[in-house]
Amino acid sequence: MERESLVVVGAGMAATRFVEELTALAPDRYAVRVVGEESYLAYNRVLLSSALAGEVPVADIELKPARWWRAAGVDVLSGRKALRVDSCEHSVLLEGGARISYSKLVLATGSRAVRLGVSGADLPGVHTFRSIEDAEALAEIGAARKSVLVIGGGLLGLEAAYGLVRRGASVTLAHVMDRLMERQLDAVGAEMLLGSVEAKGIRVLLGASASAIGGDERVQWVEFADGARVETDAVVFAVGVRPNVDLAAGPGLSVGRGVIVDDSLSTSDKSIFAIGECAEHRGVCYGLVEPAYEQARILARRLAGHCDAYEGSVVSTNLKVSGVRVFSAGDFLGEGANPIICKDPRMGVYRKLVLEDDRLKGAILIGDTTGALDYLQLIRSGESLADIRDELMFGASALRKAA
Amino acid sequence: MTAPAEDAFARPSAAAIVATRTTCPYCGVGCGVLASRDGAGGAKISGDPDHPANSGRLCSKGSALGETVGLDGRLLHPMRRGKDGAFVRISWGSALDEAAHAFSDIIALHGEGAVAVYLSGQLLTEDYYVANKLMKGFIGSSNVDTNSRLCMSSTVAGQKRAFGADAVPGCYEDLDEADVIVLVGSNAAWCHPVLFQRIMRNREERGARLVVIDVRRTATAESADLFLQIAPGSDQALFSGLLVYLEKTGALDREFIQKHTDGFDFAMAQARSTAPDIAKTATLTGLRQTDIVSFFEMFAGTECVVTAFSQGVNQSAQGTDKVNAIINCHLATGRIGKPGASPFSLTGQPNAMGGREVGGLASSLAAHMGFEADSVDRVRRFWNAPRMATSEGLKAVEMFDAIARGEIRALWVIGTNPAASLPDADAAQAALRKLELLVVSDNVLSNDTINSGAHILLPAQAWGEKSGTVTNSERRISRQRAFLTAPGETRPDWAIVADFARRMGFSGFDFRSAADVFREHAALSGFENDGERAFDIGGLALSSDAQYNALEPVQWPVRRGERKGPARLFARGGFFTGDGLAKFVAPAPPRLASQLSGQFPLRLNTGRVRDQWHTMTRTGASPRLARHFPDPFVEINPQDARALGVAHDGFARVTTNWGSAVLRAIITDRQPKGHLFAPIHWTQETAASARVGALVGPFVDPFSGQPESKATPAALAPVAYARQGFVLARKPIRLPDDVWWSRVAVAGGVGYRIACDVPDEVWRDALRQASATGDVVEYVDDAKGVFRAATFANDRAEFLMSIDRRMMAWEAALDAFALEKLDSAQRLSILSGGATQGECDEGQLVCACFGVGSKRIEAAVEDGCRAPSEIGQATRAGTNCGSCLPEIRRILAMRQPAPLSNRAVTL
């Protein structure tokens, strides 16, 4: 029987998980081709921070070895950029002119790092932190014991700053908001995190809005809106990502921030699907791996002929800075709800569980993230915790003991 | 059982070589203890297998003695209260000079009646002797009384009336040999556990039957073959009814009555008028007729009957009559001083008996002599005394009334805490504040009496440091021996008093040792005593220091030339009444001293709990003992609780005409309807509002002066606190105002159990004050009213608090608090309220000796244990002192499935 041609554009984590699930569920149904712009086989982008910090060798972050792809019967085209999709012809035009046809097309193009629109943002020495190349470049800067200014006090900025410090750089982190990780932490948690981050040797500037980057031929300084100027050998932008939606233009797919998909993860073209960071579902573009994996799994099940639907994800955040554990999930602010709070400033521990009617709505765990996945599960299930409310904060250790 | 060492000068046993043989400082059983230092500030303690009182057994309190010898809170130097109200250290010389001069000045101005000394059943006989000699022979006042007035004086008066002497006729072996043992007003299972275990062994091995007569269904009652839950104050009616029954059924020993007694006919007539038949007895006592008949038949039909009685009899405004009502039945059947047959007073304190022998009470002169002219003359000659007291002095309650009236201006309190223990204790406290001079000799820096305006504090040696003799309930004199170095500048009480006496200018106080004092005491007892005075230890008077140090436990009398005394007295008459005849005393018709009213519709009974002693000065230092009942409480019958809206484990205010207290409510059908019970142990040192002495009305027995501590009219009302919890600290702290608290010893510090309505901010302030380092961990669940926090220094928890809407178990927190170092996970889990790794929540402590809680015992029942012995094998609970066996049986009864025959069987 002729296999149906399925093309995946993008060879990142979502794509890999999707292929893995699909080939397991329906090994003979599709002829799968994966087109990846990067010259590497798919790797675990989440571990780039750990790789930069030197905690994981770069070689180890590859998701699947080449032989696995071969064994799965998947044709991987690495280092090939997809330029355009022709939905009438059901084909994808690749850089270099090749054209591959598809019966079903899955967009898993991910997102790209944003650079601020300030002068000098393209100067040599201005980096982002998205790829293996970025990580390697930053590692070299660190090894040269240079000074680096990281712009952005979110998850990625903190991880980049920490990795750079570990590599030997002198790191300043500038964040435009008045607290770190404001999208994941409340004020108390952010304050706690600030202490821990500073303890790692990172200088933190809050309320610092970069207005210009300058230098002769390469970066030498960054200027801020308040007029302050920081001398630096390098700059790393960690100010967010933008979904890669360029390919949606050809077939005229509906696009918001990302390529809009419905609960079946199909785009406005029923033979084209989108998963991962490039997709926008119910108005949300997830920038995290877990929803991407969930979408990959559900799409694989659907394309394998099973009934399933994606109804959105309750997301959680894990900061991977050694010794500074941060977990955040759900409605972590919990305004108007009843939080349970546990604080140990000296140990850098802050744990907040947001409950409403004895149901867990959100959580922040800093310093001690034990039970994080259990809490995430409870947020997702929405079950009443009236009976175990008193033990909830310490429940993880009880579970461990029971195990 | 090991044979009692009958020769007082026998060589010490091998055990003495490795540990010091001494005597337990708690109840009147007077158990032998082997004690040695443990090298860590505590002591290793075990029962002395060679002591005839206990043959190696100890109760929970005695077993925990090693935990109570620490120096926290100890008074180590003489102190004087400064103008700012704080105590400052002074020298012994200036402390004693100041006190002696003040006494002399007050006597000079106001006469010898303006000074008084208040002693304690905790003192050694030697201490008593020197204080009594000073007051009655040199100051010339009999205003020397003792806390024994509050516990045993009705027995003293009753025995004097009946026997002509305060002499206990029987001995402990009678409890092994009796066929019926009647316990009246005695919760021996908790208050005399080692004797109770002897009784239970007799019951198991010989089939002796146990009758318990009590208002409360105590742990003792739960072990009885027959329990008579009697109306308070009606014991005379029951024993009058018994006397009538004995006559009707021909159970009297006419020969004994005729040959050895006097006053039978009048007593019998009086008994007939009080309780002519079973029906009338039932009406008066509130008992069922069938139960009364069972008891009477058992008593009448059994030759070997011991009737043992304690505070339920003594602490009554008719206590002396109750004692005589009991003694009458034994005299009438000739069952006195015979093996297994005797009335038997179970003494409360370790040396109330010694004090009585010395005569260290306002109602006697010295060495079993009263104030008859020839006695006064005899003692004057013996002491070479310049100024003899010639009449009775003021008994405890009267003494404090005289202080309140300003008639007594100087008081010396030695080894007791009257501001807590007297009836109407708030008035006693107020009276103490009026004194021109209040001297307190004690072991502690702070107690309710010291804090009632004491001017001078004199540091006394404590148990383990001091040396002397005590006498137990069976007239057995035993040595308390020192095995610890006396700390600081502490001195023996006898030496303090002797030094004081010398500074007042008196001769005759040049004692060099406790042995010196003992020899004089013994000599006085034998002085011109040709057998007419019961108390005679003239045979011990010439003992050398070495003999005194090696003195074996010995029962008195030991007359000159003898080396041991008789185990029993009076089996063949020979009473000390002049004519040699015992006297029947007709008790007055039973009535309580106070009436219930609409305002005070309940009866408040007071007493002890199993694992605490008096005001907890010593037992309160043991974390283990604190776990049985950590909170001061009031027991309430379920019907009363329901009617008043008091919830179990909630709080209730007990109010009487004299005071009020807020106590944790325990609702139990062990307490009869209309009756409350509250233990006496808590003071201002250990609780916010639990001075039970302040609730007790000051009604006293006309003969003994003993207060009616067990039947005060009271009102009860629920008290609600929004939140409850606990605080653990390394040292005693001051809690925020308006917080209900009780303080207990915990491993590594002190624990406060609290209830409050104060906002979190108050606690945050307390936390800030408690934390020197600012290292604070907290857990807050506002919606549930939960606030828990701990402060740390060097990874050790210094202060821990936990408040909640209800009382949470604190065992896990106690375990964590005891650790010297907590890791980061433990820093949080200390606030979890749950068990730490590997620990299991014990529930309420049942077995204090091995620290076994109710939950572990329940688990053992679940695992198939069906008898106390099996529980013992599984958990060790109940295998040492056995005082928890009634509680273990209760758990067994509640937990185990009913036997098949009792089950409804449907086929």
Side-chain angles (χ1 to χ4, degrees):
Chain A
M1 191 183 125
E2 182 74 2
R3 293 191 191 185
E4 194 177 346
S5 159
L6 186 145
V7 172
V8 181
V9 181
M13 299 177 75
T16 304
R17 175 59 59 92
F18 168 73
V19 170
E20 185 182 5
E21 298 267 357
L22 182 68
T23 53
L25 284 168
D28 302 318
R29 185 157 169 181
Y30 296 100
V32 180
R33 263 181 290 182
V34 176
V35 180
E37 185 179 344
E38 289 187 76
S39 53
Y40 303 90
L41 280 177
Y43 59 86
N44 186 337
R45 200 177 303 280
V46 174
L47 286 180
L48 277 182
S49 300
S50 306
L52 173 59
E55 288 157 358
V56 178
V58 171
D60 285 6
I61 70 172
E62 189 176 80
L63 284 169
K64 301 284 181 191
R67 67 174 179 283
W68 180 86
W69 293 101
R70 276 196 303 278
V74 175
D75 190 8
V76 182
L77 308 171
S78 293
R80 302 289 294 278
K81 185 175 167 70
L83 295 178
R84 199 156 52 83
V85 174
D86 185 331
S87 59
C88 296
E89 284 186 19
H90 277 233
S91 68
V92 179
L93 173 66
L94 303 186
E95 203 171 39
R99 193 177 287 273
I100 51 176
S101 61
Y102 66 86
S103 166
K104 287 191 167 66
L105 175 65
V106 176
L107 300 179
T109 49
S111 52
R112 60 177 172 274
V114 171
R115 287 172 186 244
L116 291 180
V118 297
S119 63
D122 293 324
L123 275 173
V126 178
H127 300 259
T128 56
F129 183 33
R130 178 74 193 169
S131 63
I132 286 183
E133 283 91 350
D134 291 339
E136 285 172 340
L138 296 182
E140 276 172 33
I141 292 168
R145 308 208 159 265
K146 292 189 173 164
S147 60
V148 184
L149 180 82
V150 176
I151 298 177
L155 198 65
L156 191 68
L158 287 164
E159 290 181 3
Y162 171 67
L164 284 160
V165 164
R166 287 292 305 266
R167 287 288 176 179
S170 155
V171 179
T172 302
L173 185 144
H175 190 47
V176 68
M177 305 300 284
D178 62 353
R179 64 175 204 252
L180 296 173
M181 286 183 72
E182 76 284 350
R183 288 163 69 182
Q184 288 90 15
L185 298 180
D186 62 6
V188 177
E191 186 67 28
M192 200 80 104
L193 174 62
L194 177 64
S196 303
V197 166
E198 287 176 333
K200 295 285 175 193
I202 298 167
R203 186 162 74 109
V204 178
L205 308 173
L206 292 174
S209 175
S211 52
I213 299 173
D216 297 334
E217 296 185 4
R218 56 176 296 116
V219 171
Q220 287 175 319
W221 48 261
V222 176
E223 197 169 83
F224 293 92
D226 63 1
R229 187 182 268 216
V230 173
E231 306 288 322
T232 187
D233 299 328
V235 168
V236 180
F237 277 121
V239 293
V241 294
R242 188 166 298 131
N244 289 320
V245 297
D246 300 349
L247 292 178
L253 304 177
S254 302
V255 171
R257 241 177 83 74
V259 180
I260 292 172
V261 294
D262 59 16
D263 286 3
S264 65
L265 297 163
S266 67
T267 65
S268 50
D269 179 327
K270 293 303 155 197
S271 56
I272 303 178
F273 305 86
I275 56 173
E277 293 185 2
C278 69
E280 176 179 329
H281 174 260
R282 296 189 187 180
V284 181
C285 290
Y286 296 100
L288 295 162
V289 72
E290 212 180 344
Y293 276 174
E294 209 173 339
Q295 292 167 356
R297 187 178 59 81
I298 287 168
L299 182 61
R301 283 176 55 77
R302 289 188 60 85
L303 296 187
H306 299 285
C307 276
D308 212 337
Y310 177 70
E311 295 176 333
S313 296
V314 174
V315 294
S316 66
T317 304
N318 265 297
L319 181 69
K320 290 165 303 302
V321 169
S322 176
V324 188
R325 297 193 193 123
V326 174
F327 170 86
S328 168
D331 173 17
F332 59 89
L333 285 177
E335 276 152 6
N338 304 121
I340 306 176
I341 291 169
C342 195
K343 271 195 284 196
D344 184 351
R346 198 185 120 216
M347 292 294 169
V349 173
Y350 174 67
R351 290 163 68 88
K352 172 178 175 181
L353 302 177
V354 176
L355 288 101
E356 221 173 282
D357 300 329
D358 286 325
R359 290 166 211 282
L360 193 60
K361 294 292 176 190
I364 295 173
L365 307 175
I366 295 177
D368 174 359
T369 55
T370 46
L373 295 180
D374 299 318
Y375 295 132
L376 188 59
Q377 193 52 45
L378 291 173
I379 293 169
R380 286 175 177 157
S381 74
E383 65 197 271
S384 171
L385 305 171
D387 292 345
I388 59 161
R389 182 177 178 124
D390 288 345
E391 291 89 49
L392 198 56
M393 183 65 81
F394 311 96
S397 62
L399 286 174
R400 264 208 319 278
K401 203 162 60 183
Chain B
M1 181 178 300
T2 318
E6 281 294 346
D7 185 334
F9 299 143
R11 290 158 61 85
S13 76
I17 295 164
V18 290
T20 302
R21 297 178 74 203
T22 183
T23 309
C24 179
Y26 295 127
C27 77
V29 178
C31 295
V33 169
L34 298 178
S36 54
R37 299 182 212 201
D38 69 359
K44 276 189 279 195
I45 297 293
S46 60
D48 181 352
D50 294 334
H51 197 290
N54 58 318
S55 302
R57 282 186 162 254
L58 288 178
C59 73
S60 53
K61 292 182 286 283
S63 301
L65 272 168
E67 294 173 35
T68 68
V69 297
L71 296 182
D72 282 348
R74 269 297 291 273
L75 174 65
L76 295 173
H77 307 282
M79 301 189 107
R80 181 206 293 121
R81 194 185 294 276
K83 286 197 171 63
D84 62 353
F87 284 107
V88 290
R89 181 176 168 179
I90 55 175
S91 70
W92 266 114
S94 53
L96 288 173
D97 276 343
E98 193 170 316
H101 291 154
F103 257 62
S104 299
D105 291 349
I106 288 169
I107 291 167
L109 276 170
H110 305 286
E112 67 279 355
V115 300
V117 175
Y118 190 67
L119 306 172
S120 165
Q122 311 288 301
L123 294 174
L124 303 175
T125 300
E126 290 77 3
D127 305 325
Y128 257 110
Y129 180 82
V130 178
N132 194 54
K133 180 179 181 181
L134 167 67
M135 282 300 284
K136 291 186 184 145
F138 293 76
I139 287 176
S141 164
S142 296
N143 287 345
V144 47
D145 214 43
T146 155
N147 64 10
S148 304
R149 183 69 59 195
L150 312 178
C151 83
M152 293 315 305
S153 55
S154 293
T155 290
V156 175
Q159 293 189 146
K160 272 188 180 169
R161 291 202 302 189
F163 310 144
D166 175 23
V168 174
C171 62
Y172 292 162
E173 283 177 2
D174 293 334
L175 299 172
D176 305 328
E177 295 168 21
D179 296 318
V180 167
I181 295 157
V182 186
L183 287 172
V184 193
S186 162
N187 186 9
W190 282 13
C191 300
H192 298 95
V194 168
L195 286 188
F196 187 70
Q197 290 313 309
R198 282 176 86 149
I199 293 171
M200 293 311 281
R201 208 156 44 243
N202 181 2
R203 186 168 168 270
E204 277 156 31
E205 291 171 6
R206 294 182 62 257
R209 285 166 296 171
L210 175 63
V211 181
V212 172
I213 300 167
D214 205 309
V215 177
R216 303 163 57 211
R217 200 178 80 231
T218 58
T220 307
E222 288 179 341
S223 306
D225 296 285
L226 176 63
F227 170 45
L228 304 179
Q229 193 160 17
I230 196 170
S234 66
D235 311 64
Q236 312 94 296
L238 184 64
F239 284 89
S240 294
L242 175 59
L243 191 62
V244 173
Y245 181 89
L246 292 171
E247 186 193 36
K248 276 186 190 160
T249 56
L252 298 178
D253 183 342
R254 294 280 178 192
E255 191 189 342
F256 188 89
I257 293 170
Q258 211 250 315
K259 278 174 72 176
H260 299 300
T261 75
D262 184 24
F264 173 76
D265 292 340
F266 181 69
M268 182 55 82
Q270 196 69 32
R272 275 194 218 102
S273 114
T274 298
D277 51 32
I278 302 288
K280 178 71 175 172
T281 308
T283 308
L284 291 171
T285 57
L287 299 170
R288 291 186 305 182
Q289 295 195 26
T290 52
D291 288 341
I292 294 173
V293 170
S294 299
F295 166 50
F296 287 0
E297 281 177 351
M298 217 186 286
F299 193 102
T302 310
E303 205 48 45
C304 289
V305 180
V306 168
T307 306
F309 51 94
S310 196
Q311 311 308 3
V313 167
N314 291 317
Q315 290 183 329
S316 157
Q318 293 185 314
T320 307
D321 278 2
K322 287 177 181 171
V323 169
N324 286 113
I326 292 168
I327 291 173
N328 285 351
C329 293
H330 280 267
L331 290 175
T333 49
R335 294 170 188 162
I336 186 162
K338 293 175 181 161
S342 206
F344 205 129
S345 155
L346 299 181
T347 309
Q349 298 195 74
N351 199 33
M353 293 287 279
R356 286 148 63 176
E357 289 148 22
V358 162
L361 294 106
S363 43
S364 60
L365 174 61
H368 273 207
M369 286 175 272
F371 294 92
E372 312 79 26
D374 54 342
S375 293
V376 172
D377 181 60
R378 183 183 306 117
V379 177
R380 181 206 315 280
R381 285 185 283 110
F382 181 85
W383 278 343
N384 193 21
R387 193 178 180 90
M388 284 298 295
T390 54
S391 60
E392 285 195 13
L394 299 172
K395 302 186 185 90
V397 173
E398 299 166 335
M399 182 184 283
F400 278 75
D401 286 345
I403 295 169
R405 290 192 304 270
E407 293 163 20
I408 291 175
R409 294 159 182 269
L411 176 70
W412 187 357
V413 176
I414 305 181
T416 183
N417 191 358
S421 56
L422 278 171
D424 195 7
D426 288 347
Q429 209 164 23
L432 289 170
R433 292 188 188 283
K434 294 186 176 177
L435 285 163
E436 285 174 34
L437 177 68
L438 173 56
V439 182
V440 176
S441 299
D442 213 306
N443 299 152
V444 294
L445 276 164
S446 176
N447 67 24
D448 291 7
T449 298
I450 289 169
N451 298 331
S452 300
H455 301 95
I456 294 175
L457 305 184
L458 303 176
Q461 289 176 2
W463 181 83
E465 299 153 12
K466 61 185 181 179
S467 180
T469 55
V470 292
T471 306
N472 71 4
S473 293
E474 59 166 356
R475 285 175 283 110
R476 189 178 299 279
I477 297 168
S478 297
R479 284 294 318 276
Q480 265 194 24
R481 294 182 176 92
F483 64 95
L484 299 169
T485 310
E489 295 184 272
T490 58
R491 298 177 67 187
D493 281 299
W494 63 262
I496 298 170
V497 177
D499 198 347
F500 175 93
R502 290 193 296 270
R503 283 164 202 267
M504 282 189 78
F506 300 130
S507 56
F509 292 88
D510 297 321
F511 303 107
R512 288 168 294 113
S513 64
D516 249 6
V517 181
F518 182 80
R519 277 188 288 268
E520 186 175 307
H521 162 62
L524 175 58
S525 75
F527 183 60
E528 298 175 5
N529 184 351
D530 296 319
E532 70 267 24
R533 304 201 304 273
F535 180 68
D536 183 351
I537 53 169
L540 306 176
L542 300 175
S543 59
S544 66
D545 282 11
Q547 282 174 319
Y548 175 78
N549 286 337
L551 185 72
E552 286 293 306
V554 58
Q555 284 176 289
W556 61 259
V558 186
R559 299 186 192 279
R560 188 169 310 166
E562 295 172 354
R563 308 196 89 183
K564 61 172 189 168
R568 300 178 178 88
L569 303 173
F570 310 136
R572 286 181 296 279
F575 295 94
F576 298 92
T577 45
D579 59 10
L581 303 178
K583 308 297 177 192
F584 280 93
V585 182
R591 59 178 288 275
L592 291 168
S594 56
Q595 300 301 311
L596 299 181
S597 64
Q599 191 185 359
F600 300 114
L602 305 166
R603 284 278 173 205
L604 173 66
N605 188 354
T606 66
R608 293 174 172 168
V609 298
R610 191 190 71 194
D611 289 349
Q612 296 297 347
W613 176 257
H614 282 192
T615 54
M616 305 198 283
T617 311
R618 270 194 303 265
T619 48
S622 162
R624 188 156 42 124
L625 295 180
R627 288 172 55 188
H628 189 227
F629 283 111
D631 295 337
F633 62 89
V634 55
E635 286 188 341
I636 309 159
N637 178 273
Q639 289 183 53
D640 295 328
R642 214 170 11 253
L644 294 164
V646 175
H648 183 65
D649 236 12
F651 293 88
R653 179 179 295 279
V654 183
T655 308
T656 71
N657 198 29
W658 296 273
S660 89
V662 178
L663 305 168
R664 191 174 287 279
I666 295 181
I667 296 170
T668 168
D669 65 358
R670 294 192 291 276
Q671 197 58 23
K673 186 173 181 304
H675 295 261
L676 307 174
F677 172 79
I680 59 170
H681 306 292
W682 282 268
T683 66
Q684 282 164 345
E685 293 295 301
T686 47
S689 177
R691 281 165 44 82
V692 167
L695 302 174
V696 174
F699 303 106
V700 299
D701 180 281
F703 308 102
S704 67
Q706 178 153 5
E708 185 154 281
S709 306
K710 290 179 172 289
T712 305
L716 185 81
V719 176
Y721 292 104
R723 298 202 281 174
Q724 298 187 45
F726 57 86
V727 171
L728 305 180
R730 294 292 167 191
K731 296 275 173 205
I733 56 165
R734 197 186 138 84
L735 286 163
D737 293 338
D738 304 324
V739 173
W740 182 97
W741 56 269
S742 72
R743 193 185 93 191
V744 301
V746 302
V750 288
Y752 294 86
R753 305 183 38 107
I754 57 172
C756 62
D757 295 320
V758 302
D760 281 358
E761 258 328 291
V762 173
W763 290 112
R764 286 189 200 282
D765 283 345
L767 273 171
R768 273 190 284 274
Q769 283 167 25
S771 173
T773 58
D775 184 4
V776 178
V777 179
E778 66 176 56
Y779 171 89
V780 180
D781 183 353
D782 271 332
K784 299 273 279 180
V786 179
F787 182 40
R788 302 182 196 140
T791 74
F792 291 83
N794 300 323
D795 294 326
R796 187 175 81 149
E798 292 298 307
F799 180 93
L800 189 154
M801 56 161 296
S802 173
I803 49 179
D804 211 313
R805 296 237 172 95
R806 64 204 158 92
M807 191 68 198
M808 302 292 289
W810 72 341
E811 282 74 11
L814 293 182
D815 290 340
F817 196 69
L819 299 175
E820 280 301 309
K821 195 170 169 61
L822 294 175
D823 64 27
S824 59
Q826 287 170 319
R827 282 164 67 93
L828 297 187
S829 67
I830 196 172
L831 301 183
S832 72
T836 47
Q837 204 102 17
E839 300 290 336
C840 93
D841 180 9
E842 287 275 352
Q844 192 198 14
L845 185 72
V846 174
C847 172
C849 299
F850 296 116
V852 185
S854 57
K855 291 193 179 163
R856 192 133 59 99
I857 291 167
E858 285 163 11
V861 179
E862 297 295 317
D863 290 347
C865 292
R866 288 294 173 266
S869 56
E870 291 169 21
I871 301 267
Q873 276 173 9
T875 66
R876 301 183 78 193
T879 58
N880 182 39
C881 81
S883 61
C884 61
L885 286 171
E887 284 159 281
I888 292 174
R889 281 190 208 101
R890 193 185 302 150
I891 292 171
L892 269 167
M894 276 165 43
R895 284 278 159 166
Q896 72 186 350
L900 275 177
S901 58
N902 291 353
R903 282 191 196 158
V905 180
T906 35
L907 293 171

